[in-house]
Amino acid sequence: MITTPGRRRTGRPASSVTDMDEQRGSGGGPPGWWRPGRRPFRHGPPGGIRRAHEDDGAFGAHGAHGAAATEGGETPRPRWPWRSTVLLTVFVLAGSGFAEHAQEGERVALDPFGRILLFLAGALLLWRGRHPVPVVFATVAAVLLYTGAGYPYGPVFLTVAVACFSAVVSGHRHAAWAAMGTFWAGHALIAHVLYGRLPPSGDEAPSWNQEIVIATWVVALVAVSELARIRREQWARERAERARAARRRADEERLRIARELHDVLAHSISVINVQAGVGLALLDSDPEQARSALTTIKAKSKEALGEVRQVLDTLRAPGAAPRAPAPGLDRLPELVEQAASAGLTVTVEGEPPHLPPGADLAAFRIVQEALTNVVRHSGSREARVRIERDAGRLRLRVDDDGPATGADAGGSGNGLAGMRERAAALNGTIEAGPRPDGGFRVLVVLPIEAEEDR
């Protein structure tokens, strides 16, 4: 048992203590300086496909599956894909010129109208990120018109593939399926029904094996697009989950620092407030006692500054080891002496057991806050701290005989909330409230590992 008598005084000062606990934001989100920028993130397939399209905004989303959402939930408008559109259009025009020479006599030679259709099929892709559905249908229509006019087969079909891919990965899968079905049906209609009425003259219907091959390529294109869409949505979910996890970690760290600052400053400033009142009351009648009070203020403020500096060091160098060990129940005698300097006699029953660091710090801070509340809010000049260990649990009980002063002692009322948060973080429980026979009691039960006592 540790008993330290407090210095008796005739009255309590009326000055209030400023509570330094940080206030929580109404939204519960991370602080403004932590929040990432508004630049939207992108998701897309790996390798060359992503490198070829990412800078051009080829994967911009406007549907329900858009992955490039900003933090506020808005979908950004993708950038114009100038580079890829120009390259693809030039390739289609040049490749069709080579195809014209290779199919000379079999297909109609390219004329200005045919080149306009080739240019139109490529240029439409410039809007594939912003309006994927109209683009895929317009591209299919242009390519079917080009094919029906009897112009040479060639790389113009790549425009349909790119338009379909963009529509699927942006979330318009059903529209893309319908466009590709229309494309295959239109090609079959031209090749097997209308071929006699369309150029070139004397053309014959191809075998249905060719249509089966074309249908196979269409299905393969849709399947690849679906795989890209699924992978893209998976990346979006993973990235959103990582962002939520980072926000949770930031919130937990912010609350931890708020609790540490509250517990350090509230206790220290409460002692300083009491000693300042004593010094003012005895400055003329008992200078030696006033000098002792000022000495206590100096020592306590120095200790508080050291602990605040330790908390701030963790912010400046995240992950670095603390310069001083975290306080634990082994510093309970110091806490008793500090309470005595504030005029509170504290009796400790039981020996502190050997605890894991997290539980040891939580137990110390809870006792510290409970004694601070006695100094602030109770008219009693005595408090009792009882430490018990039973079946892997630590029981801490802090009692005072009251009565409550009813005076405003300052603070925001977050002391009890901080104690509950510390206990809940360790799957413990806390009960705090008036006793039936008067006074106030704080009872904490914390689960601990089975270790030998100190």
Side-chain angles (χ1 to χ4, degrees), residues 85-98:
T85 300
V86 170
L87 290 177
L88 186 59
T89 303
V90 171
F91 176 76
V92 167
L93 290 171
S96 297
F98 286 105

Side-chain angles (χ1 to χ4, degrees), residues 114-263:
R115 298 186 186 278
I116 290 175
L117 289 177
L118 291 175
F119 176 80
L120 181 62
L124 283 171
L125 298 179
L126 185 62
W127 287 270
R128 66 186 183 272
R130 296 174 178 248
H131 308 288
V133 175
V135 166
V136 68
F137 279 102
T139 304
V140 166
V143 173
L144 287 178
L145 183 59
Y146 174 89
T147 304
Y151 294 119
Y153 295 113
V156 67
F157 297 107
L158 286 177
T159 60
V160 176
V162 173
C164 174
F165 185 87
S166 298
V168 171
V169 299
S170 63
H172 303 280
R173 51 195 302 198
H174 295 99
W177 294 351
M180 295 308 293
T182 302
F183 173 73
W184 182 84
H187 183 273
L189 181 66
I190 292 172
H192 294 276
V193 178
L194 302 177
Y195 67 93
R197 304 176 186 178
L198 298 175
S201 59
D203 194 15
E204 297 181 357
S207 67
W208 281 99
N209 291 334
Q210 179 180 339
E211 297 303 323
I212 295 176
V213 172
I214 294 176
T216 302
W217 278 105
V218 169
V219 172
L221 173 62
V222 173
V224 170
S225 302
E226 285 292 329
L227 288 176
R229 178 188 63 82
I230 293 172
R231 186 63 184 272
R232 187 179 186 223
E233 292 178 356
Q234 182 181 0
W235 284 341
R237 287 192 297 268
E238 291 174 356
R239 186 157 184 173
E241 181 59 33
R242 288 195 297 269
R244 285 193 294 268
R247 287 195 293 269
R248 284 196 300 269
R249 289 192 297 269
D251 286 344
E252 292 170 359
E253 183 66 10
R254 178 177 60 84
L255 292 177
R256 185 192 69 81
I257 293 172
R259 286 195 299 265
E260 285 295 310
L261 291 176
H262 174 275
D263 293 343

Side-chain angles (χ1 to χ4, degrees), residues 92-110:
V92 167
L93 290 171
S96 297
F98 286 105
E100 177 185 10
H101 292 293
Q103 302 172 34
E104 188 174 357
E106 300 177 7
R107 305 291 294 175
V108 177
L110 285 174

Side-chain angles (χ1 to χ4, degrees), residues 147-390:
T147 304
Y151 294 119
Y153 295 113
V156 67
F157 297 107
L158 286 177
T159 60
V160 176
V162 173
C164 174
F165 185 87
S166 298
V168 171
V169 299
S170 63
H172 303 280
R173 51 195 302 198
H174 295 99
W177 294 351
M180 295 308 293
T182 302
F183 173 73
W184 182 84
H187 183 273
L189 181 66
I190 292 172
H192 294 276
V193 178
L194 302 177
Y195 67 93
R197 304 176 186 178
L198 298 175
S201 59
D203 194 15
E204 297 181 357
S207 67
W208 281 99
N209 291 334
Q210 179 180 339
E211 297 303 323
I212 295 176
V213 172
I214 294 176
T216 302
W217 278 105
V218 169
V219 172
L221 173 62
V222 173
V224 170
S225 302
E226 285 292 329
L227 288 176
R229 178 188 63 82
I230 293 172
R231 186 63 184 272
R232 187 179 186 223
E233 292 178 356
Q234 182 181 0
W235 284 341
R237 287 192 297 268
E238 291 174 356
R239 186 157 184 173
E241 181 59 33
R242 288 195 297 269
R244 285 193 294 268
R247 287 195 293 269
R248 284 196 300 269
R249 289 192 297 269
D251 286 344
E252 292 170 359
E253 183 66 10
R254 178 177 60 84
L255 292 177
R256 185 192 69 81
I257 293 172
R259 286 195 299 265
E260 285 295 310
L261 291 176
H262 174 275
D263 293 343
V264 170
L265 296 178
H267 176 75
S268 301
I269 294 178
S270 294
V271 175
I272 291 172
N273 178 67
V274 171
Q275 291 299 319
V278 172
L280 288 174
L282 301 178
L283 185 61
D284 296 326
S285 61
D286 192 346
E288 286 301 321
Q289 187 67 20
R291 182 187 301 273
S292 176
L294 292 176
T295 302
T296 301
I297 290 174
K298 180 180 178 180
K300 194 60 187 173
S301 60
K302 181 180 180 180
E303 178 185 348
L305 286 174
E307 294 197 29
V308 170
R309 188 178 295 112
Q310 180 178 346
V311 173
L312 296 180
D313 284 343
T314 62
L315 294 178
R316 296 191 180 98
R323 299 180 181 179
L329 289 180
D330 56 346
R331 290 181 54 183
L332 195 55
E334 298 179 27
L335 201 58
V336 171
E337 292 179 3
Q338 294 167 5
S341 67
L344 180 66
T345 301
V346 180
T347 302
V348 179
E349 302 177 2
E351 290 295 327
H354 187 59
L355 301 175
D360 207 13
L361 174 62
F364 177 81
R365 293 302 190 197
I366 289 174
V367 173
Q368 183 183 52
E369 178 62 26
L371 294 179
T372 301
N373 287 340
V374 175
V375 173
R376 282 180 170 181
H377 306 294
S378 176
S380 174
R381 295 298 86 210
E382 295 184 0
R384 295 177 297 282
V385 178
R386 184 174 182 83
I387 303 173
E388 298 177 346
R389 180 173 176 176
D390 179 27

